[in-house]
Amino acid sequence: MRKAGLIIYHETLIDLKEHIWTFIGAFFGIGAIGLLNSKFLPVSDNLFLIGSFGASAVLVYGIINSPLAQPRNLIGGHVVSALVGVTVYKLVPGEIWLTAALSVSLAIVMMQITKTLHPPGGATALIANIGTAKIKALGYLYVLSPVLSGVLILLLVAIVCNNATSHRSYPRNKSWYKFWERNYKVRYKRVHH
């Protein structure tokens, strides 16, 4: 038991600098979204802050080298999932157990198909179905705000904070935004054959 505890402790131990930059990134990323929310909306209209952003913060500030934390996954995963969630809500109104299950499962599959797997995306799809009446009333505007606007804020803060020191670098692919140059099928074949 002692040996297992020691292994777990050492495996999860990261240097203090890493903890500080993780805190700074998460604080400013979520804080910026919350500040926008508090300045432009009444407290009861908590539309910029959705729960899935907290999970995204763990990835983009805490596990920055994970493939699931990269910009394509962060942006694409949330946007694809929001589209799926809103579509399911519109097509199957009134059956929350069914819309919840369909939106999450379809969002996962669509993220896999689009190579944008980002675990918090499942929550984004779910929120489109179980969120407040104000969230549901947004319809497809939910995709633009809070989802797209929020993930862009998280991404900008991640790029700044995760590159502020020499021991952190984000994203892994510095040309991530050049989606028009990517050929995933060719790369996939080279890696897997």
Side-chain angles (χ1 to χ4, degrees):
M1 201 62 158
R2 182 172 178 249
K3 197 172 196 178
L6 194 60
I7 291 170
I8 291 170
Y9 173 76
H10 282 291
E11 288 297 317
T12 58
L13 188 62
I14 301 175
D15 68 34
L16 183 60
K17 287 183 206 171
E18 193 71 18
H19 294 306
I20 291 169
W21 283 105
T22 296
F23 173 84
I24 290 170
F27 180 85
F28 283 107
I30 298 296
I33 298 169
L35 185 62
L36 281 174
N37 187 80
S38 67
K39 293 294 180 193
F40 297 107
L41 297 171
V43 176
S44 60
D45 290 342
N46 220 5
L47 295 183
F48 287 159
L49 278 173
I50 56 174
S52 54
F53 291 164
S56 289
V58 173
L59 291 168
V60 299
Y61 308 119
I63 315 171
I64 66 174
N65 292 316
S66 168
L68 304 175
Q70 301 310 302
R72 176 185 174 93
N73 298 71
L74 172 67
I75 297 167
H78 277 291
V79 169
V80 164
S81 297
L83 284 167
V84 168
V86 172
T87 301
V88 168
Y89 177 74
K90 288 187 171 292
L91 293 176
V92 190
E95 292 295 331
I96 195 146
W97 72 269
L98 182 58
T99 60
L102 273 175
S103 63
V104 172
S105 56
L106 287 172
I108 294 168
V109 171
M110 290 306 295
M111 286 188 287
Q112 288 175 324
I113 290 169
T114 59
K115 296 179 177 29
T116 59
L117 195 62
H118 185 68
T124 297
L126 184 61
I127 290 165
N129 288 274
I130 66 166
T132 66
K134 289 175 182 165
I135 290 277
K136 293 175 186 175
L138 288 173
Y140 286 104
L141 287 176
Y142 170 74
V143 178
L144 297 175
S145 182
V147 176
L148 181 59
S149 60
V151 296
L152 290 176
I153 290 168
L154 292 176
L155 176 63
L156 290 173
V157 172
I159 289 170
V160 171
C161 287
N162 291 336
N163 292 299
T165 67
S166 61
H167 69 282
R168 287 171 72 104
S169 178
Y170 178 85
R172 283 190 319 191
N173 175 3
K174 296 299 181 190
S175 298
W176 64 271
Y177 57 90
K178 296 180 181 178
F179 59 88
W180 58 90
E181 292 182 5
R182 292 186 174 187
N183 188 345
Y184 287 101
K185 290 180 182 175
V186 172
R187 187 184 318 164
Y188 179 80
K189 287 178 183 174
R190 274 191 231 136
V191 171
H192 288 73
H193 292 299

